[in-house]
Amino acid sequence: MKLLISESEIKKRVKVLANKINEDYKGKIPIFIGILNGCYVFMADLLREIELDVEVDFVKIRSYEGDSSTGTIKFRKDISADINGRDIIIVEDIIDSGFTINFLVNRLRNSGPKSVAVATALFKNEVAKLDFDVDYVGFEIPPEFVVGYGLDYNEKYRHLKDVMVMEPEDIK
Ligand code: IMP
Ligand code: MG
């Protein structure tokens, strides 16, 4: 595996994103909705730099098997919060094709939130096809398969502190 983004670069960038959110949502109480499993590291880091009153919830969605998208969404856990009239910030580990995030944004919009924003640690901007702009992007990355910082290959490597590119010979 090859290093793509180091722990210290991530730390700096997460602070910048959190400061922007602190400014943008001054006086508001947004609900952060994380997409499990991948969001958990980024969500924990981001939220501990937030100085607002916030609420936290999660959805669990799966679209990937191994190193590629299946093109179908499996919804494993829905939100518990009532989001009607609320400001929502969706937290994602990575936007690849954009399939997952498009699906979730459209689904949440049906429940009448006041606003929906998206924060993602990583963004494969060359491949993503989105119906909206991503508000908070950690890093734009090339269209390669990465692991670490919450991201897995068949549920492994989520605990790595850096973002690593998997070499083709690592992907069986
Ligand atoms: P999308 O629906 O194609 O945008 O993919 C979104 C989901 O696929 C993410 O939430 C990840 O769980 C997974 N995914 C996409 N690219 C990668 C990658 O490079 N490494 C690990 N997981 C990925
Ligand atoms: Mg994910």
Side-chain angles (χ1 to χ4, degrees):
M1 281 193 251
K2 193 173 79 213
L3 177 72
L4 184 64
I5 310 166
S6 70
E7 184 187 9
S8 63
E9 286 175 271
I10 297 169
K11 218 170 226 167
K12 270 188 240 152
R13 185 66 192 147
V14 168
K15 264 195 188 137
V16 171
L17 294 185
N19 287 341
K20 180 122 203 315
I21 293 172
N22 286 332
E23 283 298 311
D24 293 350
Y25 289 83
K26 208 167 251 169
K28 298 179 177 166
I29 306 177
I31 308 179
F32 285 75
I33 298 180
I35 307 181
L36 292 169
N37 290 339
C39 75
Y40 76 107
V41 181
F42 176 47
M43 184 116 163
D45 282 353
L46 185 69
L47 276 162
R48 283 175 296 173
E49 300 293 339
I50 295 293
E51 291 162 359
L52 308 160
D53 268 343
V54 298
E55 293 172 27
V56 174
D57 204 347
F58 295 95
V59 292
K60 185 162 180 165
I61 295 181
R62 197 181 165 86
S63 70
Y64 250 65
E65 299 285 350
D67 71 335
S68 55
S69 176
T70 59
T72 55
I73 300 268
K74 288 187 190 128
F75 219 83
R76 296 278 168 77
K77 181 212 172 299
D78 207 344
I79 46 169
S80 317
D82 178 5
I83 63 168
N84 187 25
R86 301 295 303 271
D87 295 301
I88 303 304
I89 303 173
I90 301 173
V91 182
E92 176 62 304
D93 52 356
I94 187 166
I95 297 175
D96 180 11
S97 69
F99 189 65
T100 305
I101 197 74
N102 272 328
F103 170 86
L104 187 64
V105 165
N106 289 325
R107 187 183 158 112
L108 293 179
R109 281 202 175 126
N110 289 334
S111 303
K114 188 168 158 209
S115 68
V116 178
V118 173
T120 187
L122 306 174
F123 186 30
K124 294 183 192 171
N125 57 317
E126 288 165 39
V127 287
K129 289 192 185 67
L130 298 177
D131 307 336
F132 52 86
D133 291 332
V134 183
D135 307 84
Y136 308 100
V137 175
F139 299 89
E140 294 187 351
I141 65 165
E144 289 182 277
F145 193 78
V146 293
V147 294
Y149 201 64
L151 289 134
D152 72 307
Y153 173 61
N154 287 336
E155 297 305 326
K156 292 201 188 82
Y157 312 121
R158 291 194 194 274
H159 64 296
L160 302 180
K161 289 176 177 160
D162 310 306
V163 175
M164 312 289 290
V165 174
M166 293 218 23
E167 310 281 3
E169 63 266 24
D170 300 329
I171 301 172
K172 286 159 212 117

